[in-house]
Amino acid sequence: MTVLFSRLLPLALLFPLVPQVLASQPIDLENGEEINEVCAGCHGEYGQGGKAGKYPRLAGLPAPYIAEQLKDFRSRSRPNMPMVEHVDERQMPDEDIQDIAAYLARIELPSKLPPVDEHAPGFNAYARLLESKKVVQIPRAPGNVQAGKKLYHRECASCHGRRGEGRNKKNIPMLAGQYTNYLWRQVRLFHEGKRHHDPDDPDERLLDDFSHQELKDIFAWLSTADD
Ligand code: HEC
Ligand code: HEC
């Protein structure tokens, strides 16, 4: 133990993040998979979301972002009645939050099924069906895609990424590949001040200056960005 520490200490001084990593429990993905059985009831077995965006897609969101949202639901600083009972301290201690967040963040979902020859020997219809459940293809949302693309790149891309893919390192969620209905609901929560867009600066109202039409155009472009 002492040997280990004396070896790690100089490293820890060089990289201030190292002690935090050491302090947390190792990630247990099997535990994450088990917890996901509860989440799957609403968010789908692969975190693909459901009911056309009533339940958002979770697969591929940054792990620290997922963890933060779960803690916000728990403290009720972000409203989410359907989930409150699943995230209270007894149901979901911090270690579980870490595991489920890591599990969901690692799931990659295709936006289309690769073509196959259904008549080829060895074609497995059941495996194909399971594969098709993982596909998330956001239906084209109404609005002007070209105008939306321009606005998005000027106003949103610096944080949400050039293709709307989000930023892992900065805990910023993807917008492309997320359901349009869900995104609109978040816009309303931001407008009503029930959710904060910039966790470091709760007074920053990032979307207040955009008209409904401008956001519509942005969401139209985003719905095509995952094609
Ligand atoms: C009873 C249904 C239900 C269950 C079960 C459920 N959720 Fe949710 N969850 C929701 C709803 C509804 C929302 C969207 C709330 C909103 O629109 O603001 C949501 C939102 C989220 C978000 C926010 C996503 C984002 O992009 O910000 C995360 C993260 C999340 N859920 C994780 C989980 C995890 C992990 C579990 C399992 C432990 C789980 N949920 C179980 C209903 C559910
Ligand atoms: C300064 C960085 C920044 C800019 C610029 C920005 N966002 Fe965000 N956005 C964030 C962060 C951070 C979050 C996550 C907030 C949280 O932690 O709850 C977020 C979340 C969102 C969400 C909710 C996503 C979800 O999964 O719940 C939507 C919708 C959104 N942003 C839309 C936009 C749009 C549209 C633009 C451009 C007009 C934009 N944002 C510009 C940082 C930014």
Side-chain angles (χ1 to χ4, degrees):
M1 201 61 181
T2 353
V3 179
L4 186 70
F5 267 129
S6 60
R7 277 208 201 142
L8 286 174
L9 197 59
L11 259 181
L13 290 175
L14 275 174
F15 304 102
L17 275 176
V18 172
Q20 277 178 28
V21 174
L22 288 177
S24 63
Q25 298 239 341
I27 288 165
D28 180 349
L29 289 175
E30 273 175 35
N31 185 38
E33 187 172 7
E34 237 168 73
I35 297 167
N36 191 49
E37 287 171 20
V38 177
C39 321
C42 292
H43 293 281
E45 192 181 345
Y46 309 105
Q48 73 272 37
K51 296 229 173 107
K54 179 164 183 221
Y55 307 117
R57 169 207 189 137
L58 305 176
L61 283 169
Y65 172 78
I66 297 175
E68 279 309 312
Q69 302 308 306
L70 293 173
K71 289 177 186 169
D72 288 351
F73 295 147
R74 185 162 76 187
S75 68
R76 300 179 195 219
S77 60
R78 177 177 169 190
N80 188 344
M81 277 318 283
M83 272 186 59
V84 161
E85 63 169 310
H86 299 291
V87 286
D88 73 43
E89 204 81 50
R90 262 175 314 154
Q91 295 282 347
M92 183 132 359
D94 285 356
E95 300 80 60
D96 281 357
I97 286 188
Q98 172 188 276
D99 294 344
I100 183 64
Y103 177 76
L104 290 165
R106 279 173 169 75
I107 301 179
E108 285 181 39
L109 302 178
S111 63
K112 31 176 118 46
L113 268 180
V116 290
D117 178 1
E118 298 189 2
H119 305 292
F123 172 74
N124 182 334
Y126 184 63
R128 182 79 174 164
L129 178 72
L130 290 184
E131 225 184 319
S132 73
K133 282 196 188 173
K134 287 191 179 177
V135 175
V136 174
Q137 171 64 254
I138 303 303
R140 167 77 161 81
N144 182 330
V145 171
Q146 279 315 315
K149 182 179 181 179
K150 251 197 211 151
L151 256 178
Y152 177 87
H153 281 118
R154 205 173 65 213
E155 306 285 352
C156 323
S158 61
C159 290
H160 287 282
R162 291 212 50 85
R163 287 168 296 107
E165 73 279 18
R167 288 257 168 109
N168 268 306
K169 285 204 188 109
K170 292 193 154 177
N171 300 356
I172 299 182
M174 69 184 71
L175 299 179
Q178 185 58 277
Y179 299 91
T180 311
N181 285 347
Y182 170 76
L183 296 176
W184 274 118
R185 215 160 53 238
Q186 303 316 302
V187 170
R188 277 199 296 279
L189 291 173
F190 291 143
H191 279 327
E192 291 165 4
K194 291 185 178 150
R195 188 180 170 194
H196 302 302
H197 201 150
D198 184 347
D200 296 330
D201 185 0
D203 294 329
E204 183 66 77
R205 311 283 289 246
L206 285 165
L207 301 184
D208 280 9
D209 294 337
F210 293 89
S211 68
H212 185 81
Q213 186 61 47
E214 286 173 324
L215 289 173
K216 196 168 161 182
D217 294 345
I218 290 175
F219 290 158
W221 177 70
L222 284 167
S223 74
T224 66
D226 70 328
D227 291 351

